[in-house]
Amino acid sequence: MRVPLGGQVLRTRRVVSTVLALVLLAVPLAAAARPASASEPGDTAEQALAMINTYRAWLGLPPLTRHPALEAAAQAHARYYQLNYGDPSLAGMGLHQEQQGKPGFTGASIGDRAQAQGYSGSVNENIGLSGSLTTSVRMFMGTVNHRLPLIDPRYTDIGFGWVSEGDVRIEVIMVGTPSWSESASPEWVAWPADGTTGVDTHFWGEAPNPFAGASFPLGYPITLKYFGPGDVVFTSATLLADGQPVETLFTTGNGWLSRRTALVAATTPLQPGVTYTYIITGMANGQPFTHQASFQTASSPDEPLARDGSSAAAQLPAGLAGAPPAVQRVWWSADAAVWLELEDRSWIWGPDIWAAIQEPYAESPGGQRPAFYLDKARLEITDQGSDPASPWFVTSGLLVRDMILGAAQVGAHAFQPLGPAQIPLAGDPAALNPDAPTYASLHGLAAIAPGRARPDRAGQPVVEVLAKDGTVTLDPSLGTTTYGWYDPVTGVNVAAVFWEWTQAQPWDWLYVLGHPISEPYWIRARVGGVERWVLVQAFERRLLTYNPANPAGWQVELGNVGRHYYEWRYGQPPPEE
């Protein structure tokens, strides 16, 4: 059975900076929750994070990453509550506050506590008293103001703190981002997500009341938030139960978290096992919009939230679902649009991780670091104890550099000799593409040794042809593109077709590609059994190819260097996805 939590307190608060705080406090009057188990197996924080990131994945949002500073701040506040349990100041609106001089004090406000642990930026905090992190997450998703921080695309970091000893039960979830922006992508975030099943039937309320003057319980609340440019005006909302109209409350949020958000709830609790459709219309940035989605309520009290038949973290591709959230976030920011079929283009990293292994690296703890192989790259975490919010916490391996050099890097200054990779730079596998130049063909040309800098040739046509034996000839008939940029760091010219494509991407080119280490060369390679001219250029981390015979949008692609490197280093074909 569902158990009302009565006077238990849930609040959320946003701090814009450590100097100026804009605060919204929300206190549910009562909330429905699944019964908390006496003991939850495994790491409860990881379970809660998997739930939140699964819900975010349903909405096309990047996963949150556990941040040690937010984790420390959340756990310290849970500890403060435990040490001062029964203190009247911790009732009602004071649950988020600490008083200097009392046991466990780390900061008066949420922002103070986050800053004391080394986190700066915008932060938010949800607090539950259910005795279970996962139960509290489910409760938060059934409210308005507590749901919104968990599915806000602007937040990147999260921390968990909890105590469950005797009568003391508290769960603290902090989210944050180093830099705040008014807009974000995707522009629309709606909950429940289209196709969600197992949705609760009741909204037990919160204070301040998002539906002013309404009596609780209401039907499970629906939120549609706009993160795009310009203003938004919501003009109508319709709720249908198996096609029949349902009486609703409809308003636009006026709190900090709920602004630019349509709020919809049936005037009475929803019916179990029924399909509901909501339709919300209005004007956004001067353009009319209609948002429609459907969900199904739970048929029994213990039915979990699910979508597409799954409630597990496998809403991400299977290999990525088991990777650290920081790795998931790197992949998501570049390839989620392809995975969700929102964009028709080539992968930046690849459709999934197909090998996750420990590889030797002298400077890593224990001399090993986790490496995650995708078709087009390898992601690795050299120091798992460093700041996961750092953009270089997860790095992309210098795979192309290693394969051309002929040695796998196993430390900051240590290499394992293997010989240059005899793997074609482009096109079909070597058995079907025996005459194509390989990584080894660039061994004597690439900027992997001193004295190989080339002069700046910007504006000149690219007419150099690379043969398998490493010799270079000229073919003026191939000059369909020019040199577009010169990298003074490596002394290498970049083809305009590659540089223009790179500069049009939303990601940091140096993080993804590294510096260019070879000039662009035309090669002959078999592609799908057909011999073609392909322009190739080696960067430290990636190989770019240009095939003018491909359709628009697919002419420039990233080579499958993750698969090439694995085959070269381990002497066997990579596992099938």
Side-chain angles (χ1 to χ4, degrees), residues 35-398:
S37 59
S39 62
E40 295 179 277
D43 186 334
T44 58
E46 283 299 310
Q47 293 176 29
L49 179 62
M51 288 178 66
I52 295 168
N53 281 341
T54 293
Y55 303 151
R56 289 174 67 92
W58 294 348
L59 299 169
L61 307 181
L64 296 171
T65 301
R66 290 175 73 175
H67 193 288
L70 292 182
E71 201 105 322
Q75 190 59 49
H77 190 54
R79 176 67 172 164
Y80 174 89
Y81 177 86
Q82 180 186 35
L83 293 173
N84 296 279
Y85 183 67
D87 190 319
S89 68
L90 289 173
M93 302 292 281
L95 188 59
H96 285 281
Q97 303 298 315
E98 294 185 6
Q99 295 185 17
Q100 191 167 8
K102 291 194 173 182
F105 174 84
T106 56
S109 69
I110 299 170
D112 293 338
R113 299 196 301 273
Q115 186 180 41
Q117 302 296 340
Y119 193 90
S120 60
S122 295
V123 297
N124 234 302
E125 182 179 79
N126 281 356
I127 293 181
L129 304 172
S130 71
S132 163
L133 274 174
T134 53
T135 296
S136 284
V137 168
R138 179 69 181 246
M139 288 163 49
F140 296 150
M141 296 304 295
T143 67
V144 171
N145 294 308
H146 308 92
R147 166 196 301 169
L148 292 174
L150 301 182
I151 56 172
D152 191 320
R154 295 170 294 189
Y155 289 120
T156 58
D157 307 317
I158 193 167
F160 299 91
W162 70 99
V163 171
S164 181
E165 297 179 12
D167 293 334
V168 181
R169 295 183 177 185
I170 185 171
E171 301 82 44
V172 182
I173 300 179
M174 297 185 71
V175 292
T177 180
S179 59
W180 186 259
S181 63
E182 290 303 311
S183 61
S185 180
E187 292 185 351
W188 295 99
V189 176
W191 187 268
D194 191 34
T196 302
T197 60
V199 174
D200 288 332
T201 54
H202 289 60
F203 176 31
W204 295 100
E206 57 186 336
N209 185 350
F211 298 98
S215 300
F216 295 98
L218 300 172
Y220 190 88
I222 296 161
T223 55
L224 174 64
K225 188 171 181 69
Y226 178 62
F227 292 95
D231 297 324
V232 63
V233 177
F234 300 99
T235 56
S236 71
T238 302
L239 183 63
L240 305 173
D242 286 337
Q244 299 302 310
V246 175
E247 183 179 356
T248 60
L249 300 172
F250 165 54
T251 187
T252 299
N254 56 16
W256 176 258
L257 289 171
S258 62
R259 64 189 180 134
R260 308 218 299 174
T261 308
L263 313 179
V264 183
T267 57
T268 58
L270 305 180
Q271 297 300 307
V274 172
T275 297
Y276 288 86
T277 299
Y278 59 93
I279 305 167
I280 301 172
T281 66
M283 298 284 291
N285 199 27
Q287 299 296 317
F289 73 86
T290 299
H291 181 88
Q292 178 173 324
S294 298
F295 63 90
Q296 187 177 77
T297 51
S299 298
S300 61
D302 58 353
E303 182 180 344
L305 283 170
R307 189 166 180 260
D308 298 330
S310 174
S311 60
Q315 297 301 324
L316 286 167
L320 278 147
V327 172
Q328 294 174 353
R329 194 166 69 193
V330 170
W331 175 87
W332 189 278
S333 65
D335 279 340
V338 181
W339 177 59
L340 296 169
E341 299 182 353
L342 300 176
E343 295 181 9
D344 183 21
R345 59 165 172 80
S346 180
W347 299 94
I348 302 303
W349 302 101
D352 198 5
I353 292 169
W354 40 262
I357 56 180
Q358 294 288 327
E359 292 185 337
Y361 199 82
E363 283 73 25
S364 294
Q368 298 280 319
R369 66 178 177 182
F372 307 90
Y373 281 88
L374 301 100
D375 284 359
K376 299 181 180 297
R378 181 191 70 200
L379 295 172
E380 68 255 337
I381 302 175
T382 299
D383 183 2
Q384 297 185 73
S386 61
D387 182 2
S390 166
W392 293 90
F393 175 73
V394 178
T395 55
S396 179
L398 302 169

